[in-house]
Structure formats: structure tokens, C-alpha cells
Amino acid sequence: MNIKKHIPNLITLINLFCGCIAIVFVSKADYEMAFYMVCLGIFFDFFDGFFARLFKVSSPLGLQLDSLADMVTSGVAPGYVMYTLFNNSAHELGTNPFIPFLGFIVTLGSCYRLANFNIDTRQTDSFIGLPTPANSLFMMSLPLVLKFSDSLVLLEILTNQWVLLVITLCSAYIMNAEIPLFSLKFKKFNLKDNALQIVFLTISFVLLLLFHFGAIPLIITFYVLLSIINNLFLKKK
């Protein structure tokens, strides 16, 4: 029995387990622990592929298993968070009990993104559309921004159902949009080829120091905008 070939799949299942625990914490309104469990799941999501390449045991089963695990950690969990934000917000869209379920549009967008990723051969070194883990971090951080921020403006914004609906729809769109996003991998060890990555990581670090949980939506938004600017710059060359 080749134990090595099972290690990446075991790591993938740990990612799935973290996602399940995150959902339990969301159900208990413990958004901080839910956020940490999603972060842990994303950590394992990165290393399952790393070990699959290291041991040269990549397989179609591993690819499908990875997407199924991500569907929970980066699909169901953030969708559930958006459902709770809708449910706990002011009723600008009306008192229809169906309204909070609009939060699961995030889950639908994630599902489509993951299925499409498996058959899209263009996304080997970079991404087209926002990856589901990044989108999940954005969504999972929103209730923490509400919890730890003293800003009344942010409170008004993130408890407004129209704003939540726009965030939800933008989330589903940006995951599946034909927008190339730069890779964070350092392929060559020189400043010129990695300038974009270094600028992004440096600014992200500063934002984390300044705003803590509030920095996460800013960092994800900055990543998308910086990619768009970079795409426009490359087209002019």
C-alpha cells in the first residue's frame, strides 16, 4: 500500500473538516472562531496540492476531492455568514422571510467557480476570476468588521440589506468573471519580475497592522483592482 498517495487526500479531508466546524461556529454566532477555522481550512487546501506535487501523486480523484472540500469551506460557510448578516440586518428589502436566503447566492457562485476551475486549463499559473478561498475570507471577515469596529458608518453600511445584496451579487460575479488575476508565486528571485507581488504583499501587511480584521476586505478588493490595473498596463505594452 502506497501511503504517500493518500497523504494529500487526507489533508484535503482535514480542510473539509475545518469547513464543517466553521459552519457549526457560524450557527452559534461565533464568527471569530468560524473565521479561524476557514483560515485553517484554506491553509490545508494549499498544502494538499503542495504534497501531491512533492510526492508526484496528483490524481483526478484528488482534484475532485479538493473542489468538494472547498465547496464547504469556501462555499457553504461564507454563504451561511451572508445569510446570517441578512437575517440580522435592518429590513430595507422588506420582511419577506425568503430575503436572508439571498446570501446563499455566494454559495451558488462558489459552486459554479469550482466546477469551471476543474475544466479550465488556463488557470495553471494564475487565476481568472477571484479564487473561492479569497472570496471566503472576504465574507467571513464582514461580521468581525462589525464586531470590532467602532465606526457608526460601517455599522450602517454592513447592516443595510441593499449593501449586503450588492456585496453578494458582486461576490458571485467576480469569482466567475473573465478577469485575469496575478499570481502570488515568486517564479524568479529578482525585484523586477516580482515587483507587483512585493507591492501587494507590503501594502497588505501594512493594512493588517493598521486595521486587523477590517483589512481583509480591503486587501481582497485591492488585489482585484491591482490586477485590473496591471492588465490594462500590459495591454498598452
Side-chain angles (χ1 to χ4, degrees):
M1 182 178 178
N2 187 357
I3 297 177
K4 282 185 178 181
K5 74 176 184 179
H6 295 292
I7 291 176
N9 291 343
L10 176 61
I11 295 173
T12 302
L13 291 176
I14 296 174
N15 168 22
L16 174 59
F17 185 58
C18 291
C20 293
I21 297 174
I23 290 170
V24 173
F25 279 121
V26 173
S27 71
K28 297 179 178 180
D30 190 343
Y31 299 110
E32 192 169 355
M33 282 303 301
F35 175 83
Y36 290 136
M37 292 310 302
V38 165
C39 287
L40 189 59
I42 292 172
F43 172 81
F44 284 113
D45 181 43
F46 172 80
F47 277 101
D48 60 3
F50 172 80
F51 280 105
R53 291 187 294 271
L54 179 66
F55 297 146
K56 298 179 181 179
V57 291
S58 299
S59 67
L61 172 63
L63 180 66
Q64 299 304 320
L65 199 61
D66 186 68
S67 290
L68 290 171
D70 282 348
M71 185 59 212
V72 176
T73 306
S74 298
V76 178
Y80 192 12
V81 164
M82 289 307 294
Y83 165 83
T84 61
L85 288 178
F86 269 105
N87 207 34
N88 297 332
S89 62
H91 299 295
E92 284 84 0
L93 294 178
T95 56
N96 189 321
F98 176 77
I99 296 297
F101 291 102
L102 294 174
F104 286 108
I105 292 174
V106 173
T107 303
L108 303 183
S110 299
C111 181
Y112 192 89
R113 155 81 191 183
L114 289 167
N116 191 45
F117 182 82
N118 283 351
I119 60 173
D120 192 339
T121 57
R122 299 172 298 168
Q123 303 188 57
T124 53
D125 296 321
S126 58
F127 300 107
I128 298 175
L130 185 67
T132 53
N135 184 71
S136 182
L137 289 176
F138 185 104
M139 297 299 169
M140 299 299 295
S141 69
L142 294 180
L144 299 180
V145 173
L146 274 174
K147 179 179 179 180
F148 293 106
S149 175
D150 297 325
S151 171
L152 293 177
V153 175
L154 272 177
L155 179 65
E156 288 288 333
I157 291 173
L158 293 179
T159 56
N160 185 300
Q161 286 189 342
W162 284 108
V163 174
L164 294 177
L165 181 60
V166 169
I167 292 173
T168 299
L169 294 175
C170 285
S171 162
Y173 169 76
I174 203 69
M175 282 189 288
N176 295 284
E178 289 286 317
I179 302 175
L181 303 178
F182 67 88
S183 172
L184 294 177
K185 295 178 182 177
F186 288 78
K187 296 178 182 178
K188 298 178 181 179
F189 293 97
N190 61 70
L191 184 61
K192 181 181 178 182
D193 291 316
N194 299 303
L196 192 64
Q197 288 85 348
I198 292 170
V199 168
F200 172 73
L201 292 173
T202 302
I203 293 177
S204 297
F205 181 72
V206 172
L207 288 173
L208 282 170
L209 289 178
L210 293 174
F211 302 111
H212 306 292
F213 288 117
I216 295 166
L218 297 176
I219 290 170
I220 303 300
T221 304
F222 177 56
Y223 174 55
V224 175
L225 292 176
L226 191 59
S227 295
I228 293 172
I229 293 170
N230 183 55
N231 293 340
L232 294 173
F233 178 75
L234 290 174
K235 284 181 180 180
K236 290 181 180 179
K237 283 188 173 182

